[in-house]
Amino acid sequence: MESKELKDYVKQKPNYKVFDTWNMRLGIYSLSGTDTTKWINRTLKNVGSPPVIYEETQAEQTALEFQKLFFNKGYMDVQVDFVPTFKKKKVSLTYNIYPNEPYYISKLEYEIQDEKIKEIVLADTTHSIVKTGMIFDGNELNLERTRITNKLREQGYYSFTKENIHCFADSFHVSHQVKLKISIRNIPFGVQIVDTIQSKNIQQNVYYVNNVYFLVDDGSRNARRRGTEPSLRDTLLHEDYYIIQRNNTFRPSFLLQNCFIRPHSRYNETDVSATYNSLASLQALQYANIRFQETDSAVVDCYISLTSSKTQTASISLEGTNSAGDLGVAGSISYQHRNIFKASDVFNIKLRGAYEALSGSISDLLKNSYKEIGTETSVIFPKFQFPFLNKDLKKRLRASTEYGLAFGWQERPEYERIVFSGSWKYNWSINNGRFRHSISPLFFDYVHIPRMTKTFEDDLNQYPALLHSFEDHVISGVSYSYYTSNLGFPSSKKSLYSIKAAVETSGNLLYGISTLSNAGKNDKGQYRLFDVPISQYIKGDFDFAKTHIIDQDNSLTYHIGVGLAYPYKNATIMPFEKRYYSGGANSVRGWSVRTLGPGTYQYTGQALDYANQAGDIRLDMNIEWRSHIFWLFQLAGYIDAGNIWTIKSYESQPGGVFKFNEFYKQIAASYGLGLRLDFNYFLIRLDTGIKAYDPGLPNDPWVMFKPKFSRDFALHFAIGYPF
């Protein structure tokens, strides 16, 4: 048994220590004075924690709780005592637990009154949690009772509850063995039946669903006013389902698509859960409730009450900008409709614009003004829109289909740039959302540069990575991503993990068509689409993070992330927007964003040099101890390591290429402390980073021994955890 599980039963715990060393709360409490009329004293007392005064009765109660815990785990001869050790004004408690030999289940038998129930239970014993030879554990017995109950409710036994199952144990002290009998009665234990003849005739019936009613918004309220059953005069009958809704809020086919409870069929608890989960995932619904009412012997009617959420929302944002002294303004208008086609289809559109007065920059090029206009729009359908999939599979697969388009126009004195993007994506999850998949059969980005000054073009020639972003090009391909986490599942109480993986490829289809059609190439040997070069590459990412829950106030998290991007055939370099960068709030925090790597490459200080600090391989490794201080505040201590590299050697990025015999010497490292404000639904954090090992200084990389504040310190403000 883990010590963490035992800590939950301790009645008196020592004062909490931040990072398990700093008794901060007690120190704050000690600063308060005795005059509680002063607000400062009251504040310090509320923020801090008073000293825990030792009480022997509490220690005795803790020992008793330990004894009950081990007894329930099958250690029926357990003995527990405690030894206090006094030193000055402090006491240390040592609990001695002698579990002795556990009791094992030597024989397991069933006593089941109903023959049909007996047949179902005995046919499924291979999935039984309780088996002969295992330790007699009360928790496992409760899990087995739950499993049997769920199994029977899946088979139509609507009125069956866990109280119908009782376990009788006959223990033998000499042999430490238990004979276990699982008894399943037709009536719950404790229910008194005076007439013994009536008791013998009571049976557990298989229930059937008669009618299914959808009560939407006002329809449900009106139905409740009239009584338990809606009036057929106000009801639409659609494929044996009764639908009451006042304003035709939802299409009948949409409601049926998200309902797995079928009229005139046997009751199944799994269908009820599937309906709940499906309805809960819909943005157009604020509330959903399912209830059953008996209308006859072993017959129930189902009432699904739905409350729609606010359909339309709009927002406006306006902000001032200051980029190196250049003042400007930016704003956006967003609109969302959560039920545009009466099937919880979500329509989004966003218009954005920006204007900046430029005071001057490199070679006096960046002057006058910068203007940007853009729009993004998408439609999300809460179903799998694909023509050849089985209708039942589409229904049971909790999926959504998303179509998106975006347009952006930018103008500066030295260039004009237009970007047009589109995507087609499927998202679905299985196992109650634990495993999430996303696949995009098609995404594309078209970049067009109508105008560019000769001076700016000459400057770009020094930065091949950035030059590609200012040339006409097409990115078109497919992508897939996978995510899983145990957040919200029972195992997350001890440790929490998440896995993210993604792969995307671009240009293969267009390259194949160009090859087969003998399309001409440009002067760089590239195939084109409408005279625009095709970007061809493959890219993959993998991230793993795990959090060990030390106690309710402390956790230890570690993370590793790797990525690889490779241009080939029609491309010699990755598109700039698809390359990796390092440093920043979610990477190696001793460096500002886009200032680390690749390899041993060091920032030169030139304005466009950020384009050279990008690569094709990434590595991130982090370990972080998170500790609650008081109220909403957390403190975190961490060590980060990582870097980026290029796959191919580029003249403008000396020292950036990945080499197996050198890369480990080029892994940067930093450390730091962070302050967080946790509001549960979102987290604000302020992280510091101090360089420890800088591969960009090959002659003296261990900067932690000779730190320079201006060079080796970074500050980051971010929303949410870094991993």
Side-chain angles (χ1 to χ4, degrees):
M1 187 177 298
E2 296 182 8
S3 58
K4 177 183 178 299
E5 187 176 353
L6 294 177
K7 288 181 180 179
D8 295 337
Y9 293 87
V10 176
K11 296 298 181 182
Q12 276 194 301
K13 300 176 182 177
N15 285 97
Y16 170 70
K17 296 180 179 179
V18 178
F19 292 147
D20 207 27
T21 56
W22 182 17
N23 211 329
M24 181 181 180
R25 295 181 193 172
L26 179 60
I28 293 175
Y29 183 88
S30 301
L31 293 175
S32 64
T34 57
D35 187 357
T36 56
T37 60
K38 296 181 178 180
W39 71 268
I40 183 64
N41 291 334
R42 295 195 304 271
T43 301
L44 292 173
K45 286 182 181 293
N46 291 331
V47 172
S49 299
V52 179
I53 308 301
Y54 170 66
E55 296 181 21
E56 186 174 359
T57 55
Q58 295 281 20
E60 293 173 350
Q61 185 63 35
T62 299
L64 182 60
E65 292 295 324
F66 285 158
Q67 190 171 11
K68 291 179 181 178
L69 173 64
F70 276 82
F71 185 89
N72 194 48
K73 290 285 187 181
Y75 296 88
M76 301 180 185
D77 299 328
V78 61
Q79 295 178 349
V80 182
D81 62 36
F82 63 93
V83 179
T85 302
F86 298 92
K87 186 177 181 180
K88 295 183 179 179
K89 293 185 178 181
K90 296 183 179 180
V91 58
S92 298
L93 282 175
T94 302
Y95 289 93
N96 300 310
I97 302 175
Y98 307 96
N100 295 313
E101 187 177 349
Y103 282 70
Y104 294 87
I105 299 175
S106 61
K107 185 178 181 181
L108 175 61
E109 60 182 25
Y110 294 86
E111 181 185 59
I112 305 175
Q113 288 181 332
D114 192 296
E115 290 298 324
K116 292 182 180 179
I117 292 179
K118 183 177 182 180
E119 182 179 349
I120 294 172
V121 173
L122 295 183
D124 194 46
T125 53
T126 54
H127 296 99
S128 176
I129 299 173
V130 178
K131 300 180 183 295
T132 57
M134 66 177 289
I135 295 177
F136 179 74
D137 190 327
N139 293 332
E140 299 294 320
L141 292 182
N142 280 328
L143 291 176
E144 175 66 4
R145 292 173 65 206
T146 301
R147 187 194 69 84
I148 293 175
T149 301
N150 292 339
K151 181 68 178 178
L152 292 174
R153 289 178 67 87
E154 289 174 2
Q155 298 295 320
Y157 289 91
Y158 167 75
S159 62
F160 192 92
T161 66
K162 198 164 65 171
E163 283 66 35
N164 290 88
I165 307 174
H166 199 73
C167 299
F168 299 96
D170 190 4
S171 60
F172 300 91
H173 179 72
V174 177
S175 60
H176 287 82
Q177 293 183 348
V178 173
K179 290 183 179 180
L180 179 64
K181 180 169 67 175
I182 298 179
S183 178
I184 303 177
R185 298 178 58 182
N186 291 330
I187 58 174
F189 285 85
V191 176
Q192 300 295 323
I193 300 295
V194 178
D195 190 341
T196 57
I197 297 178
Q198 179 188 1
S199 176
K200 292 180 180 180
N201 292 332
I202 291 178
Q203 293 183 345
Q204 280 287 339
N205 293 317
V206 174
Y207 276 70
Y208 286 82
V209 177
N210 183 27
N211 296 317
V212 178
Y213 296 91
F214 283 97
L215 312 175
V216 182
D217 291 334
D218 289 345
S220 62
R221 288 194 288 270
N222 292 336
R224 284 194 292 270
R225 293 191 194 104
R226 289 190 295 265
T228 58
E229 184 173 334
S231 171
L232 296 181
R233 181 179 55 191
D234 304 324
T235 304
L236 170 67
L237 180 62
H238 184 81
E239 296 184 16
D240 291 337
Y241 290 82
Y242 294 95
I243 301 172
I244 294 181
Q245 51 181 343
R246 184 175 182 179
N247 298 318
N248 194 25
T249 308
F250 300 111
R251 295 203 307 263
S253 58
F254 160 72
L255 297 175
L256 272 59
Q257 173 190 327
N258 291 280
C259 180
F260 298 87
I261 305 169
R262 296 178 298 276
H264 317 302
S265 65
R266 188 173 62 179
Y267 174 87
N268 190 327
E269 187 81 4
T270 302
D271 293 338
V272 178
S273 298
T275 303
Y276 262 122
N277 293 334
S278 184
L279 294 173
S281 66
L282 301 174
Q283 294 196 37
L285 289 179
Q286 180 181 0
Y287 173 78
N289 180 57
I290 303 175
R291 63 183 178 88
F292 293 89
Q293 181 173 329
E294 289 194 49
T295 59
D296 201 349
S297 177
V299 176
V300 293
D301 280 344
C302 175
Y303 296 88
I304 304 176
S305 300
L306 305 176
T307 302
S308 59
S309 60
K310 186 178 180 180
T311 304
Q312 303 180 63
T313 58
S315 62
I316 299 176
S317 68
L318 188 67
E319 61 180 328
T321 62
N322 185 345
S323 302
D326 299 333
L327 301 179
V329 62
S332 66
I333 301 175
S334 300
Y335 170 78
Q336 183 181 75
H337 196 301
R338 296 188 179 93
N339 195 36
I340 192 167
F341 301 122
K342 299 185 181 300
S344 193
D345 314 282
V346 181
F347 171 75
N348 295 288
I349 187 169
K350 181 178 182 179
L351 304 175
R352 66 182 187 278
Y355 176 86
E356 189 173 287
L358 304 176
S359 59
S361 187
I362 297 177
S363 304
D364 294 326
L365 286 173
L366 308 183
K367 56 186 177 180
N368 300 326
S369 64
Y370 164 76
K371 297 182 273 300
E372 179 181 357
I373 297 174
T375 181
E376 302 171 12
T377 182
S378 66
V379 180
I380 304 174
F381 299 93
K383 60 182 178 180
F384 212 118
Q385 289 192 331
F386 201 79
F388 305 112
L389 284 182
N390 178 274
K391 183 178 180 180
D392 186 62
L393 176 61
K394 287 184 182 180
K395 183 176 180 178
R396 292 199 169 271
L397 195 63
R398 289 175 55 192
S400 65
T401 306
E402 179 179 353
Y403 304 99
L405 291 173
F407 172 82
W409 172 81
Q410 303 166 354
E411 184 185 50
R412 295 182 69 103
E414 67 276 16
Y415 69 84
E416 186 178 350
R417 189 168 184 258
I418 296 174
V419 180
F420 183 64
S421 304
S423 63
W424 167 25
K425 185 184 297 183
Y426 294 111
N427 302 299
W428 74 95
S429 61
I430 58 177
N431 196 10
N432 293 325
R434 185 163 186 171
F435 305 100
R436 304 176 197 171
H437 304 265
S438 178
I439 186 169
S440 179
L442 175 66
F443 70 87
F444 69 87
D445 293 290
Y446 168 64
V447 178
H448 176 52
I449 310 296
R451 178 184 60 83
M452 183 188 301
T453 65
K454 182 63 170 61
T455 307
F456 184 67
E457 184 178 358
D458 292 339
D459 286 344
L460 285 176
N461 287 327
Q462 303 176 33
Y463 304 95
L466 192 59
L467 178 62
H468 186 71
S469 294
F470 287 89
E471 293 179 332
D472 290 0
H473 64 275
V474 174
I475 300 174
S476 177
V478 298
S479 66
Y480 167 78
S481 64
Y482 168 82
Y483 175 81
T484 182
S485 172
N486 66 336
L487 179 65
F489 292 84
S491 59
S492 64
K493 295 180 179 180
K494 295 182 179 180
S495 65
L496 178 67
Y497 74 85
S498 67
I499 297 174
K500 292 186 288 185
V503 62
E504 71 176 61
T505 181
S506 171
N508 293 330
L509 178 61
L510 296 177
Y511 182 85
I513 294 174
S514 299
T515 303
L516 293 175
S517 61
N518 294 318
K521 298 182 179 181
N522 62 13
D523 55 359
K524 296 181 180 179
Q526 296 174 306
Y527 285 115
R528 297 159 295 169
L529 177 67
F530 304 120
D531 206 33
V532 178
I534 301 166
S535 295
Q536 193 170 8
Y537 65 85
I538 185 169
K539 181 180 180 182
D541 291 276
F542 178 83
D543 284 84
F544 173 78
K546 188 165 186 177
T547 300
H548 292 283
I549 310 298
I550 301 172
D551 53 43
Q552 64 179 0
D553 292 312
N554 290 275
S555 62
L556 183 66
T557 300
Y558 55 86
H559 161 259
I560 183 169
V562 294
L564 175 66
Y566 181 68
Y568 60 97
K569 294 288 188 181
N570 213 55
T572 58
I573 190 170
M574 289 289 296
F576 179 74
E577 60 269 26
K578 296 293 183 179
R579 301 189 88 192
Y580 298 113
Y581 61 87
S582 192
N586 300 323
S587 182
V588 186
R589 282 165 279 191
W591 281 258
S592 298
V593 63
R594 292 188 181 274
T595 60
L596 173 59
T600 60
Y601 184 86
Q602 187 75 338
Y603 177 60
T604 63
Q606 298 183 25
L608 295 179
D609 199 40
Y610 71 89
N612 283 332
Q613 299 204 270
D616 311 313
I617 300 174
R618 74 172 176 99
L619 173 64
D620 282 306
M621 299 178 291
N622 317 82
I623 185 168
E624 181 171 293
W625 188 347
R626 299 164 182 168
S627 188
H628 180 235
I629 305 176
F630 58 83
W631 191 48
L632 302 177
F633 288 98
Q634 291 182 357
L635 192 64
Y638 38 81
I639 299 174
D640 304 321
N643 205 336
I644 54 173
W645 295 267
T646 62
I647 289 181
K648 300 179 180 181
S649 180
Y650 300 107
E651 184 179 349
S652 62
Q653 295 176 294
V657 69
F658 179 89
K659 297 179 181 179
F660 278 102
N661 60 342
E662 293 183 3
F663 86 93
Y664 62 91
K665 302 175 186 177
Q666 301 167 359
I667 298 176
S670 67
Y671 59 94
L673 290 174
L675 184 66
R676 285 84 189 276
L677 197 59
D678 187 0
F679 293 95
N680 289 325
Y681 50 92
F682 78 98
L683 178 137
I684 301 173
R685 61 185 171 98
L686 186 67
D687 286 352
T688 63
I690 304 174
K691 297 176 184 176
Y693 182 86
D694 188 351
L697 301 174
N699 295 327
D700 191 14
W702 289 103
V703 294
M704 65 181 299
F705 301 116
K706 298 177 182 179
K708 294 182 180 179
F709 183 84
S710 59
R711 181 194 66 184
D712 302 326
F713 180 81
L715 186 65
H716 310 280
F717 176 82
I719 303 295
Y721 284 116
F723 40 81

